[in-house]
Amino acid sequence: MEALPSYSAHANGSSMASTLVRTTGPTTEERLAGEDHAEIRYFTSYDHHGIHEEMLKDEVRTRSYRDAIYQNKHIFKDKVVLDVGCGTGILSMFAARAGARHVIGVDMSSIIDKAKEIVAANGMSNVITLLQGKMEEVEMPLQHMPGGKVDIIVSEWMGYFLLYESMLDTVLYARDKYLTAGGKIFPDKATIYMAAIEDGEYKDDKIGFWDNVYGFNFSPMKESALTEPLVDTVEIKALVTDPCPVLTLDLNTVTPADLAFRVPFSLRAQRNDFIHALIAWFDIEFTACHKPIRFSTGPHTKYTHWKQTVFYLREVLTVEEGETLYGELENKPNSRNKRDLDIKIAYELDCSDTSREAKGRCAYRMC
Ligand code: SAH
């Protein structure tokens, strides 16, 4: 899952997008009447086919889900499966093809109209029930849910920096309300990693650019560049330090309160270099599989649409091989818009050369 800034813009610039995909029912905006703008913007961004095309074409993502489901037919056989945020219905169809007795797919966005057509086109309408609505509000088809429960939850809820968009809250809601005791979640483990990078473009292009734009001081623009994390692909050769796992979430036990956190990191320099930014990425695991399946969105592996998240620092650090940059990463959902994140990074470089010692705090807003 992701609502790319560009696609949000797409979908927003477009009440048009929702008009275009309108089939029979009310539009997403009409269904969300009374909700705040951010919620409407979030769900309408998923009305458009482009965002689903990008997710489906992300092979690392979609194949990992397919492998996790197809290689575990013994787990899915005759089970009731809930697909939280089913989009075009791809995960529901994987589960049905793997032998599920019944699959329930829920999505607020009007893309679900397409999902219904797709499921019918593949002759699976009798096994898959698709419902448009918010997972938190929808009336579930209890006739397919013995004891009102499901055996397995599948969901692709991950946003940029793992937690942007806060869809994990929705999966946890579904887990607590509908997953049977001992039920399984696909995937069920996520780990956030950090590392420090050297970015040759920091001075002339990314941050320093704003100091002199055609002879003018554009420093107010620099502030945005320093406070908004940048979602971009980072080349492996830019990494100056070892990666450091900073947080692991076990979806079987994590609570919404755990998604606001402050965790330490330590990044050991692999070479003499400058540090212009810290980056974060995440790995995902399906540990409920017979043989665990995992994928990474890191800079060392194949491209995914999540890319990496770059946090530029306000100063350039100079490190020597073997030195360690210590710090803390803090994250919490923004109090006014819970889908935005307030992220803080504190760091300290303690080295024998006092002229290079550094200590700082940077605050970012992911919106
Ligand atoms: N499962 C699909 C789509 C993933 S994108 C796939 O793997 O391709 C995430 C989807 O979750 C979006 O279509 C979005 O509309 C939906 N979604 C997010 N939060 C939701 C909620 N609270 N209730 C219902 N649907 C939600």
Side-chain angles (χ1 to χ4, degrees):
M1 179 204 68
E2 51 87 63
L4 241 166
S6 61
Y7 272 118
S8 314
H10 230 125
N12 279 327
S14 64
S15 8
M16 214 175 87
S18 33
T19 319
L20 283 175
V21 297
R22 182 164 195 161
T23 50
T24 45
T27 63
T28 309
E29 276 118 321
E30 285 159 0
R31 281 181 186 270
L32 285 165
E35 292 271 4
D36 64 39
H37 285 306
E39 278 308 272
I40 295 173
R41 196 182 72 161
Y42 173 69
F43 285 113
T44 51
S45 75
Y46 284 106
D47 284 347
H48 194 260
H49 79 266
I51 193 168
H52 295 279
E53 181 175 355
E54 184 180 31
M55 289 188 288
L56 293 166
K57 285 183 174 167
D58 182 335
E59 287 199 1
V60 172
R61 181 200 90 110
T62 310
R63 278 193 186 182
S64 298
Y65 276 84
R66 187 194 62 184
D67 292 349
I69 297 171
Y70 283 5
Q71 290 178 20
N72 291 279
K73 295 201 171 86
H74 62 291
I75 296 177
F76 281 80
K77 187 162 179 354
D78 293 333
K79 296 295 187 339
V80 178
V81 178
L82 171 59
D83 179 357
V84 178
C86 63
T88 53
I90 183 75
L91 307 183
S92 294
M93 291 191 291
F94 285 156
R97 200 164 267 177
R101 174 151 47 95
H102 205 85
V103 186
I104 302 151
V106 178
D107 206 295
M108 181 63 230
S109 161
S110 64
I111 193 69
I112 198 146
D113 292 330
K114 291 284 178 215
K116 286 176 185 163
E117 291 178 38
I118 293 166
V119 163
N122 288 280
M124 292 177 158
S125 303
N126 57 337
V127 189
I128 301 176
T129 301
L130 295 174
L131 305 168
Q132 183 170 16
K134 266 193 172 182
M135 188 68 240
E136 294 81 352
E137 294 165 4
V138 79
E139 210 170 298
M140 294 288 277
L142 295 173
Q143 69 278 19
H144 296 300
M145 301 165 60
K149 300 286 181 185
V150 301
D151 303 300
I152 299 176
I153 287 178
V154 295
S155 185
E156 200 282 78
W157 52 270
M158 296 83 75
Y160 296 131
F161 183 63
L162 185 68
L163 297 171
Y164 178 54
E165 295 188 347
S166 300
M167 191 185 155
L168 181 52
D169 285 349
T170 299
V171 178
L172 302 185
Y173 175 91
R175 174 198 71 187
D176 294 344
K177 189 152 184 202
Y178 299 118
L179 189 63
T180 192
K184 295 184 185 343
I185 308 177
F186 281 68
D188 61 346
K189 196 168 156 192
T191 303
I192 297 179
Y193 289 83
M194 289 181 78
I197 61 161
E198 186 269 332
D199 183 349
E201 294 180 350
Y202 182 91
K203 194 161 167 290
D204 294 328
D205 190 40
K206 293 283 171 38
I207 303 298
F209 172 75
W210 301 112
D211 287 332
N212 179 349
V213 179
Y214 299 93
F216 296 101
N217 174 351
F218 263 57
S219 52
M221 299 290 277
K222 190 159 149 181
E223 202 46 33
S224 327
L226 285 167
T227 53
E228 281 173 28
L230 178 72
V231 174
D232 205 354
T233 43
V234 173
E235 284 185 85
I236 184 71
K237 64 176 198 252
L239 263 69
V240 175
T241 68
D242 295 333
C244 173
V246 293
L247 181 81
T248 296
L249 301 177
D250 176 349
L251 265 66
N252 298 295
T253 53
V254 72
T255 66
D258 297 330
L259 306 183
F261 56 83
R262 193 160 81 199
V263 288
F265 61 80
S266 56
L267 305 172
R268 195 189 144 277
Q270 295 165 335
R271 59 174 191 244
N272 294 356
D273 210 333
F274 302 107
I275 288 176
H276 300 103
L278 303 188
I279 65 165
W281 69 89
F282 58 88
D283 287 8
I284 291 296
E285 282 180 68
F286 300 79
T287 75
C289 294
H290 187 60
K291 196 172 157 211
I293 285 186
R294 56 176 64 95
F295 71 91
S296 175
T297 65
H300 54 284
T301 181
K302 240 180 119 181
Y303 170 91
T304 74
H305 73 286
W306 287 288
K307 303 176 185 170
Q308 289 84 43
T309 306
V310 182
F311 301 91
Y312 283 106
L313 301 180
R314 287 174 182 270
E315 62 178 337
V316 179
L317 312 181
T318 308
V319 290
E320 285 187 3
E321 185 182 346
E323 288 176 351
T324 301
L325 182 68
Y326 292 98
E328 268 183 352
L329 170 72
E330 187 182 324
N331 172 71
K332 65 173 172 8
N334 180 263
S335 48
R336 266 172 295 138
N337 180 358
K338 69 178 172 61
R339 295 203 184 269
D340 292 354
L341 297 177
D342 289 325
I343 300 165
K344 288 189 183 133
I345 292 177
Y347 60 85
E348 185 164 2
L349 178 66
D350 197 10
C351 53
S352 48
D353 173 1
T354 50
S355 67
R356 292 190 294 105
E357 274 180 1
K359 192 173 177 170
R361 286 183 74 82
C362 301
Y364 307 87
R365 170 98 180 261
M366 209 159 174
C367 51

